[in-house]
Amino acid sequence: MPILNADLHCHSVVSDGTLTPEELAARAKGNGVELWALTDHDEVGGQHRAAEAARAQGLNYLTGTEISVTFAGETVHIVGLGFDADDPRLRLGLAATRGGRGQRALEMSAQLEQVGIRGAYEGALRYVGNPELVSRTHFARFLVEAGVCKDTAEVFRKYLTEGKPGFVAHRWATLKDAVHWITEGGGVAVIAHPARYRFSANEEYALFTEFKAHGGQAVEVVTGSHTAAEAQRYAQSALEFGLAASRGSDFHSPDESHTDLGRLPPLPEGLTPVWHLLADRIR
């Protein structure tokens, strides 16, 4: 079976990316992507634009989103693929998840002001395409622009992470809710970039077990933040838990992302690609 260059994880200006859905579709096509999904954080507002842009490029498309979940005290991301972007339960759930971001952003700004960084909230808003989705990434871009840090990597070493100025925890959706919103909308739920979570072996086992019990069907094996060894590790997890495997760059910006759209290694052999579960949802 030929290897498919699928990129099923990226972000536009509708959440915390810097390119429009149309620019992403063109970039994906130019980089040889054959199946694409836009997965903005807790938002489906760019889905119709992305689908139309993909169609104009002659690019196969799956609907997508990335839902923020609180599990065992950590923020975990669950990607949804192939759902009905107009499903009312999904849209209501995502709106509720986004709802806490505004107050959180004000608290983050207040903390930064206490260490002498003024105007962070207003500065972050300049980078926001969607005011409901102001996030740490937007604050990080402001801190670079303001000369506080030389790049976003330095920002996250010094600010906006647990124990550092500007970090404000937020309770997101539950794992059960996120998986149900996706699956009841006709889609497939995917654990995003599992190597990024600071879980013990027991906590990770609990995440995979509970995810599967709620109806989750896939895990991101190859992604921009995974090493080759981590991809092999989560290939084994996919087999152990009977999950399909997904692949996505998690691309946000030409200037910030280490991995460009479509520039990923193939999935390890012996796995079921998630798009095999979604063949009838590809547009």
Side-chain angles (χ1 to χ4, degrees):
M1 183 176 292
I3 294 170
L4 183 69
N5 187 358
D7 197 322
L8 305 178
H9 187 164
C10 69
H11 301 273
S12 77
V13 292
V14 177
S15 64
D16 60 346
T18 61
L19 302 183
T20 65
E22 293 80 8
E23 289 168 332
L24 287 170
R27 192 179 189 93
K29 181 68 174 180
N31 286 354
V33 173
E34 297 163 287
L35 176 63
W36 175 54
L38 172 65
T39 57
D40 281 315
H41 289 283
D42 305 310
E43 177 64 273
V44 290
Q47 288 305 304
H48 292 299
R49 287 173 62 187
E52 286 178 22
R55 194 176 306 117
Q57 295 284 345
L59 181 60
N60 289 320
Y61 187 73
L62 281 167
T63 53
T65 189
E66 186 175 17
I67 304 178
S68 307
V69 164
T70 301
F71 184 86
E74 267 301 304
T75 298
V76 169
H77 290 153
I78 302 297
V79 163
L81 297 170
F83 49 81
D84 173 5
D86 295 315
D87 183 81
R89 287 166 300 188
L90 174 69
R91 283 181 165 268
L92 281 171
L94 294 179
T97 301
R98 292 194 302 272
R101 286 184 185 261
Q103 181 58 38
R104 176 177 177 243
L106 289 169
E107 292 176 29
M108 290 163 67
S109 181
Q111 280 199 24
L112 291 170
E113 187 159 349
Q114 288 174 2
V115 294
I117 300 167
R118 300 185 185 281
Y121 180 72
E122 294 76 14
L125 284 183
R126 288 204 297 276
Y127 291 93
V128 176
N130 181 348
E132 285 190 339
L133 284 175
V134 59
S135 71
R136 294 189 311 155
T137 304
H138 301 118
F139 278 91
R141 289 175 187 148
F142 162 72
L143 291 174
V144 173
E145 175 208 16
V148 176
C149 297
K150 70 176 187 299
D151 55 29
T152 53
E154 183 184 351
V155 172
F156 288 117
R157 287 196 301 273
K158 295 181 176 178
Y159 303 95
L160 309 179
T161 53
E162 193 165 359
K164 304 288 171 61
F167 176 78
V168 178
H170 182 75
R171 283 204 66 80
W172 307 110
T174 66
L175 182 62
K176 179 180 179 181
D177 283 344
V179 173
H180 284 190
W181 296 336
I182 294 162
T183 56
E184 289 170 9
V188 166
V190 184
I191 299 174
H193 41 60
R196 280 179 43 183
Y197 311 126
R198 296 171 297 179
F199 285 141
S200 67
N202 284 343
E203 288 169 334
E204 182 175 274
Y205 185 85
L207 170 65
F208 275 76
T209 303
E210 190 172 319
F211 173 77
K212 180 101 190 263
H214 292 316
Q217 291 179 270
V219 59
E220 213 168 56
V221 172
V222 173
T223 184
S225 58
H226 279 187
T227 64
E230 287 166 344
Q232 288 297 330
R233 175 183 166 194
Y234 288 103
Q236 290 303 310
S237 297
L239 293 171
E240 178 185 351
F241 288 93
L243 298 171
S246 193
R247 176 180 188 265
S249 57
D250 198 6
F251 179 81
H252 284 72
S253 161
D255 300 322
E256 296 169 14
S257 297
H258 299 299
T259 304
D260 204 348
L261 275 163
R263 304 291 201 222
L264 288 159
L267 288 175
E269 291 185 5
L271 302 175
T272 300
V274 68
W275 49 91
H276 287 191
L277 308 183
L278 290 161
D280 62 335
R281 305 309 302 264
I282 294 171
R283 293 150 71 176

